[in-house]
Amino acid sequence: MPMPVITLTLAQARALHLAAQGLLAPPAQLATPAALCACIARMGLLQIDTIHVVARSPYLVLFSRLGPYPMHWLDEALATGQLFETWAHEACFAPMADLLLHRSYNQQARQHWGLASARHSHIHQRAHLDQLLLHIRQNGAVKSSDFTRQDDRTSAWWGWKDEKRWLEALFASGELMVARREKFQRVYDLAERVAPQLATAPAAGLAPDAIRQQFIERSVTALGVTQARWIHDYFRLKPRLKDADLAALVEAGALLRVAVQGWDQPAYVHASQADWLQQAVAGQLQARHTALLSPFDPVVWDRERLATLFDFDYRLECYTPEPKRVHGYFVLPILHAGELIGRLDAKAHRAQGVFEVKSLSAQPGRRWSEAQSLAVAKAIWRCAQWHGTPEVQLTGTRPANLAPTLRRAWREIRKESAG
């Protein structure tokens, strides 16, 4: 007889998702370099973005999970070969243990504008690529800034100069890898110098079907609980999955099919997380963490999943003309005790030591309790201290009566810190 399907409440599904993402509870211990790498391994990916009105996204994603840590730890993990950079969800850091998996999929199956543009360069500008490879082989690693633009032309790749496009094409093909970053600039070197283990890697790589299955299972593991239609986005698989595509994995016992109250589609949990599933059903996974989330956090980046799981309508507005923005330039969702209860637009004025909260909004129709306001105030304070901007300034809130509560909380926190 088939086993009865386990049913989760929406709150239990959220708790399972946050447990898988490392956001269920505050960090129990001080951060370490090993914990940083383990955090990325748990997520599977760490998306890279260069916007830095607050800390750049990859650093902020880690802070939300680890608490205060020196940002250079991430740079050192890349430089020492514990991580590598790859096209995946977008440009991402990934654990070095997954290098062959990503290289094989990028070469065989992944569809992405960066890879497509690179293939065009390989077809039409191969002589330039070979010349650049020879230069790197003879002279060592290079940055794009080592080369000067020879004319005023703009290219299809974000206005990049030729050498930058060629470096990116060679990176996309796997001939070059990112050896390290200097002031967040990529430093490119020959793949075999960055990852000597490639010399003994199987020439044929992994079979496409086996790679796809691994990415499906890793996506479900990273998400904790997911509908079939959300799985493809995590590692940008094509096409979008349907329930029928997961039937064999369910039959094999790799995935567990569950129900979530209010969802008209089945959900899936990886068998390796069966214990968490049972704890969630028993109400033993208690969400206790308050954190500011990057717009490029894995919890946030699938807008449909975010709306279904958290009833949170979110759009990144930094690419929207300023007069049309609703919430701000670089808006951070606010996670508190398993819910997304608001959002804030912040800017770190590093030279002045000021963390400016340009706007802060509670979710429409929600009134924050005193405990919620205090928890959010503390989360903003911790984030400001980590940025090296100890003074928190608040411009405005919605509703307006949140502002006095937050300012009062910061005064109390400052007194406690000084005492």
Side-chain angles (χ1 to χ4, degrees), residues 4 73 236 256 286 381:
W73 284 357
R236 292 286 162 86
L256 307 174
Q286 295 296 318
W381 178 269

Side-chain angles (χ1 to χ4, degrees), residues 60-78:
L60 185 58
V61 169
L62 293 169
F63 172 74
S64 299
R65 290 157 172 79
L66 298 172
Y69 72 96
M71 294 187 199
H72 65 80
W73 284 357
L74 178 59
D75 307 325
E76 290 169 359
L78 175 67

Side-chain angles (χ1 to χ4, degrees), residues 83-246:
L83 305 174
F84 73 102
E85 292 193 28
T86 182
W87 286 110
H89 179 83
E90 286 293 339
C92 292
F93 297 109
M96 187 60 82
D98 295 343
L99 176 62
L100 291 182
L101 189 67
H102 283 282
R103 284 175 70 89
S104 296
Y105 193 67
N106 284 350
Q107 292 166 3
Q108 298 172 17
R110 178 164 280 131
Q111 301 174 37
H112 190 280
W113 69 265
L115 297 172
S117 297
R119 293 180 189 116
H120 183 273
S121 296
H122 280 273
I123 293 171
H124 298 284
Q125 297 181 309
R126 188 65 232 187
H128 292 294
L129 302 184
D130 289 339
Q131 185 177 9
L132 183 53
L133 277 174
L134 180 61
H135 172 83
I136 295 170
R137 189 175 300 279
Q138 293 177 342
N139 298 285
V142 300
K143 303 186 297 290
S144 171
S145 59
D146 294 337
F147 305 92
T148 56
R149 186 184 290 278
Q150 299 301 313
D151 54 46
D152 295 327
R153 292 177 303 164
T154 58
S155 74
W157 285 34
W158 303 88
W160 289 342
K161 58 191 156 188
D162 287 340
E163 287 82 3
K164 174 63 174 175
R165 288 187 288 113
W166 298 336
L167 287 167
E168 287 295 314
L170 291 164
F171 165 72
S173 70
E175 293 168 88
L176 295 182
M177 290 180 65
V178 178
R180 62 187 182 278
R181 281 182 177 256
E182 295 178 359
K183 297 182 179 178
F184 214 67
Q185 284 192 61
R186 282 174 165 170
V187 179
Y188 304 84
D189 204 350
L190 301 178
E192 60 265 30
R193 291 204 288 238
V194 177
Q197 64 269 35
L198 291 173
T200 58
L206 303 174
D209 288 347
I211 296 172
R212 182 176 175 79
Q213 179 171 323
Q214 284 202 50
F215 277 136
I216 288 171
E217 292 196 45
R218 287 167 185 241
S219 299
V220 178
T221 302
L223 291 170
V225 60
T226 178
Q227 293 184 16
R229 60 185 289 105
W230 303 334
I231 293 172
H232 79 290
D233 182 67
Y234 205 86
F235 289 100
R236 292 286 162 86
L237 309 177
K238 296 287 185 179
R240 183 185 287 252
L241 278 77
K242 299 178 181 179
D243 293 304
D245 298 317
L246 304 179

Side-chain angles (χ1 to χ4, degrees), residues 302-337:
D302 185 328
R303 308 313 188 211
E304 178 190 306
R305 166 165 52 85
L306 186 68
T308 304
L309 253 178
F310 291 96
D311 191 24
F312 194 81
D313 183 20
Y314 179 78
R315 183 179 67 175
L316 180 62
E317 297 180 287
C318 59
Y319 306 114
T320 301
E322 185 172 0
K324 295 183 178 181
R325 291 177 194 149
V326 176
H327 296 288
Y329 177 77
F330 196 71
V331 174
L332 312 180
I334 302 171
L335 174 70
H336 172 72

